[in-house]
Amino acid sequence: MGAQVYGVFNLLLLLFFLPFSLAALPATPTINSNSVLVALLDSHYTELAELVEKALLLPDLEAALTRHNVTIFAPKNEALERELDPEFKRFLLEPRNLRSLQTLLLFHMIPTRIESPGLPGSPAESSRHVTLSRDHVTLAGKESGEIVVDLAKVVRPNDVVRPDGVIHGIERLLIPRSVQEDFNRRRSLQSISAVLPEGAPEVDPRTNRLKKPAPVPAGAPPVLPIFDAMAPGPSLAPAPAPGPGGPRHHFDGESQVKDFIQTLLHYGGYNELADILVNLTSLATEMGRLVSEGYVLTVLAPNDEAMAKLTTDQLSEPGAPEQIVYYHLIPEYQTEESMYNAVRRFGKVRYDTLRLPHKVTAEEADGSVKFGQGDGSAYLFDPDIYTDGRISVQGIDGVLFPVVETTAATKVTPATANAKIVAKQRRGKLLEVTCRMLGAVGQDSHFAGCQ
């Protein structure tokens, strides 16, 4: 009897504390079949859905959907299958780069419901939104009626609509800046890892002739100045830099130049400069060769608004695009911090450019760095767009031109510009004595040499 009473008492205690124990358990998110996440996995965006599964993001997305609605910008399959750089896709699928893949996918998702009527219809309605990756994307409308998210055009608005979210189809993949930098850094490290350093031969900078071979630490600056590398002699090319000139190619200059041009395009607002580098000139190839040889460069990149102000006359002269870009290339590695510290300390700093012999002047102005003088000046507008240790890209808001210095001795007035100057012949000693004798008798006027 006592055991039965004891058992009933335990049962009553269990029934009393059961609701409290269930309340203390963590609530597990529940996703029904009508969820936008299920719709994404079952939609025609199969490439994106596969990446979401490989990135192990399903639990995190389920938890996010229990708290708020989600707007997903889904790239079309062609953008991930054929239009994506194979090397970049390989980078995303490597297990060690899981965090980069997760950041890239969450960059396509906004924790807010934005349906088609809420998308901007004009440039004035542009808006910025924080994504699940904590980065920001910009939604903007164009005059043509198109809607873009960052650099991707929305091609299928309201493609999938569910109670807890909406999916808009876009034409290309969105790549956040942090992921692009991780890819550039990883590729640069791969190109120099596990390679035996090779020293370059010692060169006399005056004669460009080889001295006795001497080992040079890998990564040391090149022996010859960059101007000699740009314009080698007819028979003697400059010696290769320490390491990169060897057969193993420690520095892959072409890939690094390609990386910074792609970064310019992803950053936005520098398409004109990228077009000049790639399509109108061979400067991208020249820059890649210089970086492969161990040289470093700082690119002062004018934005599209500044490039649009160039006149036809400024661009139509043969070689004008090259000369303009050469004046914006500094053969040093400078960042915003290093340049700002220099102008704060020294007032004005003159940097060499690849447009010999012109230099570009930098000074501190309004808490930033100003290049050039007078009306032709430009401010450091977008600092450190790209920095990989060998190429630094600094965005400026103007196109720079060298200042032609003139002195009083070299100035020519328009009135005397076309005047013909006849030099008077110098008279010898014999002619001077003859003229003096004829002058004594008043007959020097009849002799032409005495006039």
Side-chain angles (χ1 to χ4, degrees):
M1 182 66 182
Q4 293 178 353
V5 172
Y6 183 73
V8 172
F9 180 73
N10 285 342
L11 180 60
L12 292 175
L13 287 177
L14 179 61
L15 294 176
F16 179 76
F17 287 105
L18 183 60
F20 298 97
S21 60
L22 292 177
L25 292 175
T28 57
T30 58
I31 299 296
N32 56 34
S33 59
N34 201 28
S35 171
V36 70
L37 181 57
V38 177
L40 174 64
L41 299 178
D42 293 338
S43 67
H44 56 270
Y45 300 105
T46 55
E47 291 292 325
L48 179 64
E50 183 179 353
L51 289 179
V52 170
E53 293 181 357
K54 289 182 178 180
L56 308 177
L57 282 178
L58 292 179
D60 295 337
L61 295 180
E62 290 176 0
L65 287 171
T66 59
R67 296 191 297 269
H68 38 61
N69 274 212
V70 174
T71 300
I72 301 176
F73 296 97
K76 59 183 181 180
N77 285 340
E78 292 79 4
L80 298 176
E81 286 178 341
R82 295 188 293 271
E83 300 174 8
L84 190 62
D85 184 2
E87 193 172 352
F88 182 69
K89 188 173 184 179
R90 194 181 311 117
F91 162 81
L92 293 176
L93 296 180
E94 290 181 359
R96 59 180 176 178
N97 301 323
L98 178 63
R99 184 61 59 87
S100 296
L101 177 60
Q102 292 177 340
T103 301
L104 180 137
L105 295 175
L106 294 177
F107 187 66
H108 293 73
M109 304 177 188
I110 299 176
T112 308
R113 186 183 186 89
I114 305 176
E115 294 193 23
S116 182
L119 295 174
S122 64
E125 299 176 3
S126 301
S127 58
R128 297 184 75 223
H129 299 272
V130 63
T131 64
L132 292 180
S133 66
R134 304 300 181 186
D135 296 309
H136 289 79
V137 294
T138 302
L139 289 176
K142 294 187 175 181
E143 298 292 345
S144 60
E146 295 178 349
I147 303 171
V148 294
V149 48
D150 277 0
L151 298 178
K153 182 169 63 175
V154 179
V155 293
R156 297 172 68 105
N158 276 22
D159 194 15
V160 178
V161 179
R162 293 293 185 269
D164 58 352
V166 59
I167 299 177
H168 303 295
I170 57 178
E171 65 173 352
R172 56 180 292 184
L173 186 71
L174 302 177
I175 302 178
R177 181 176 179 180
S178 60
V179 175
Q180 183 71 46
E181 290 177 349
D182 289 342
F183 170 63
N184 297 340
R185 193 179 307 112
R186 183 62 55 86
R187 182 156 67 174
S188 297
L189 291 175
Q190 284 179 346
S191 64
I192 64 175
S193 61
V195 177
L196 182 65
E198 297 178 358
E202 189 176 355
V203 179
D204 186 353
R206 296 171 299 175
T207 62
N208 284 352
R209 295 187 180 277
L210 300 179
K211 295 182 179 179
K212 62 179 181 178
V216 181
V223 179
L224 292 179
I226 191 171
F227 307 107
D228 290 349
M230 291 177 59
S235 59
L236 277 178
R248 297 181 183 273
H249 294 289
H250 296 270
F251 299 116
D252 188 358
E254 294 182 1
S255 296
Q256 289 178 276
V257 171
K258 176 183 175 183
D259 287 341
F260 101 74
I261 292 177
Q262 285 184 340
T263 304
L264 278 181
L265 296 176
H266 289 312
Y267 191 85
Y270 294 88
N271 296 335
E272 296 295 331
L273 177 62
D275 184 59
I276 289 179
L277 291 175
V278 176
N279 298 323
L280 298 184
T281 67
S282 60
L283 292 180
T285 303
E286 294 181 21
M287 294 170 67
R289 180 173 60 83
L290 290 173
V291 176
S292 294
E293 291 298 329
Y295 298 97
V296 293
L297 291 171
T298 297
V299 182
L300 303 180
N303 57 19
D304 288 345
E305 185 177 352
M307 297 292 287
K309 297 178 182 178
L310 291 175
T311 63
T312 305
D313 295 337
Q314 291 173 320
L315 293 173
S316 60
E317 291 293 329
E322 288 89 343
Q323 295 301 319
I324 292 175
V325 177
Y326 277 141
Y327 190 61
H328 292 75
L329 300 180
I330 299 175
E332 303 176 24
Y333 186 79
Q334 298 287 344
T335 63
E336 177 203 19
E337 183 179 5
S338 64
M339 289 190 292
Y340 186 71
N341 290 340
V343 297
R344 283 289 301 273
R345 182 176 181 182
F346 302 108
K348 281 190 177 182
V349 180
R350 302 187 71 194
Y351 293 106
D352 288 326
T353 68
L354 295 191
R355 184 174 177 179
L356 289 174
H358 301 290
K359 300 177 182 288
V360 62
T361 304
E363 59 183 323
E364 193 271 338
D366 301 328
S368 181
V369 182
K370 184 178 77 170
F371 300 95
Q373 301 173 357
D375 296 335
S377 61
Y379 284 85
L380 183 56
F381 186 68
D382 287 322
D384 296 340
I385 296 177
Y386 179 90
T387 51
D388 67 353
R390 309 209 64 80
I391 300 177
S392 171
V393 182
Q394 307 293 328
I396 58 177
D397 61 354
V399 180
L400 301 173
F401 289 94
V403 178
V404 180
E405 298 179 356
T406 58
T407 61
T410 59
K411 286 184 179 178
V412 180
T413 59
T416 61
N418 299 323
K420 186 176 180 180
I421 301 176
V422 180
K424 195 172 183 179
Q425 293 184 355
R426 186 173 180 269
R427 295 184 292 186
K429 290 289 185 182
L430 181 59
L431 185 58
E432 289 183 358
V433 173
T434 303
C435 291
R436 196 178 304 116
M437 293 174 60
L438 292 175
V441 296
Q443 300 295 323
D444 58 340
S445 60
H446 299 287
F447 197 72
C450 297
Q451 298 297 325

